[in-house]
Amino acid sequence: MNFYKPSQKQNKMTCTLCQHYCNISLNKTGICGVNKNVGDKIECLVYGYPAVINADPVEKKPLYHFLPQTKTLSIGTVGCNFKCSFCQNHGISQEQTIKKDKYYSPEDIVKLALRNDCESISYTYNEPTIFYPYIKDIAKLAKQNGLKNVFVSNGFESTEVITHMADLIDAANIDLKSFDKEYYKKYLGGDLDKLKQNLKLFKKLGIWIEITTLIIPKLNDSNEELQNISNFIANELSVTTPWHLSAFHPDYKMLDRPRTSTNSLQIAYDIGKKAGLKYVYMGNAGLQNNSKCPKCDEIFLQRITYKTTIDNRKYGVQCSSCNTKLDGVFKTARTMSVSDTFYSSSSADIKKQFNHFDSILKDANFNKSLPFIPKAIISPHAGFIYSGFTANAVYSMLENIKPTTILVIGPSHKHRFKNASVSMFEDYNTPCGNIKVDLNYANHLKNKYDFLDFYPAVHNEHSTETQAPFIKSKFPDSKIVEIIYGNIEHEKISLIIDEVLEKYPRIFIVISTDLSHFYSQNEAKKLDNICLEAIKMLDIDTWNKGCEACGRVGVKALIKSANNYKLNSKIIDYRTSADITNDNNRVVGYVSAILG
Ligand code: SF4
């Protein structure tokens, strides 16, 4: 879609990016200085030339109810459609010379965001509407890569642009700088009525919005004006729309006024609360800015400046005290339940441990070659000092495969329940970095198989969690899907594995199990040998001859599917906990195997 049209005036083109709707003569630019009539079209001159790129906390935008505690890649260009005399970014916004030292394609920007562990891309610093042709291309690609898009704007977009944004932009922070029409016209070169219309349109289209008002002493800080702003937000948008009160400091051409006092911010805060606004924040003043549950007043996010210090949310979206659903767009992350016990919570320590395992394999001339393409592994799940070597040995054989998704299937140790749970959390926060959950595939599984549901409480399970540091280290770009099973027949789990083998060549399967528990070393070896034989022969009858394993359902499901799809199998490592404890009276058995 183009954001220009021939003007009714001869030889001119109309730019439809913002409410100025500039009629631009040939070879001239509009008010913003960066959109130019080049004859048959209007060219956005800053396309590919951001003036600033930073990875910021999303709280800095400010957005307090949108993916808190995540980073956002923030970009801005030169130029602006407003001329605010107090602009704190005037170095770029009021600049029109475009530095073309380096071209950043939309692909480059998305890669930068992913490389910097950002969850979103923010179009900010200057007014993003003026470079929307660039944004729409980046935002589309960002979405395809699981990133969200954020607009930080003065709210003067054209209706065409906001309507187009509905499919691309997830959140916006919009300035509501005053409630005085003359002020908007005289100081900013804008139009209050159009801004109000736009805010309502953002809301109507379902884009999450937060509002910012820069409180300037003696300019827009009268009680009446602040009441008008807060009543508009409460009545025309929603009482759940966060209102950020930002302290002014003298800048650019407005050097004759003092900084906003904490007292003024407090007065504005009280006015906002009196209007019924649930979330009012005082920014730019180094104060605590906690988010409280609108029902029970419990702090759910304790925050100082941009840093969240305490997070009291349940499953990411509920107050942990009263279960009220919180307003905003929150990530639901699967938090780790056994880091610091089963494995270290330090990525450096985990890396050191993996390097140590690798060096043992190297010294032993471990043979990584396989006569088949790997499709699945069996991996143990005890503390890394016990079973980490066995797990690492099998993961080290997967160096040449690049799965899009790892499907991890393990038994529940802490919860008794019927059937199985597929995790619908969005992220898997391992100490080695975040793994994105493949929600498309997880949703597909949940919808297709009636024995699968999502029970959040059971996803504090170590059988699957202990695989995550290996997955993040060996497959940094892969997504994850976690299935934890309770009381279920192996035939049901086998249906899922069959479907992967049949239809999803880029999904790799990890079946988690330990073997016998707490027998003497000799007894354990006898029992475990049955399991090893069954896995080697892919024979369920052998497995049923007395084999003991906590993840038996998963292993039997894999053996069944392996027979259906004529896979091969190879045992990679077997040992018991006695190797570490030297206690032969009471051991646990560990196996790793590869199938393909
Ligand atoms: S973006 Fe706005 S200010 Fe710039 S040329 Fe287009 S209509 Fe004019």
Side-chain angles (χ1 to χ4, degrees), residues 51 270 306 480 486 549 595:
D270 293 341
Y306 307 129
I480 193 169
L595 285 81

Side-chain angles (χ1 to χ4, degrees), residues 149-187:
N149 292 291
V150 169
F151 226 66
V152 182
S153 167
N154 59 26
F156 208 55
E157 295 80 3
S158 66
T159 310
E160 293 91 320
V161 162
I162 300 181
T163 310
H164 190 268
M165 282 164 71
D167 291 333
L168 292 176
I169 304 297
D170 301 281
N173 184 298
I174 311 281
D175 285 340
L176 180 46
K177 297 172 196 275
S178 165
F179 221 66
D180 177 343
K181 286 185 187 183
E182 277 309 300
Y183 175 96
Y184 254 93
K185 221 165 151 182
K186 185 174 161 197
Y187 284 92

Side-chain angles (χ1 to χ4, degrees), residues 221-318:
D221 63 346
S222 73
N223 286 4
E224 189 192 349
E225 185 155 2
L226 295 168
Q227 274 157 5
N228 286 337
I229 295 175
S230 46
N231 285 337
F232 169 78
I233 299 172
N235 301 331
E236 303 287 340
L237 303 176
S238 164
V239 290
T240 60
T241 302
W243 188 27
H244 298 265
L245 304 160
S246 183
F248 164 85
H249 65 259
D251 211 329
Y252 191 34
K253 293 179 182 167
M254 194 175 277
L255 302 169
D256 58 340
R257 283 167 206 266
R259 287 171 175 267
T260 313
S261 66
T262 309
N263 188 41
S264 295
L265 287 179
Q266 187 64 51
I267 291 170
Y269 176 93
D270 293 341
I271 289 171
K273 293 303 270 183
K274 202 169 165 200
L277 296 178
K278 304 256 184 247
Y279 310 110
V280 185
Y281 300 105
M282 297 187 276
N284 241 359
L287 302 170
Q288 264 210 4
N289 267 311
N290 299 331
S291 297
K292 291 184 181 173
C293 171
K295 191 168 174 205
C296 73
D297 225 27
E298 176 83 7
I299 292 172
F300 65 86
L301 287 170
Q302 191 174 74
R303 191 186 290 113
I304 299 172
T305 329
Y306 307 129
K307 193 166 169 41
T308 300
T309 48
I310 295 177
D311 185 343
N312 280 327
R313 290 172 301 146
K314 198 170 172 184
Y315 310 130
V317 293
Q318 282 172 285

Side-chain angles (χ1 to χ4, degrees), residues 575-586:
R575 62 195 58 231
T576 72
S577 53
D579 281 13
I580 297 295
T581 62
N582 291 322
D583 177 0
N584 286 324
N585 295 320
R586 197 175 147 85

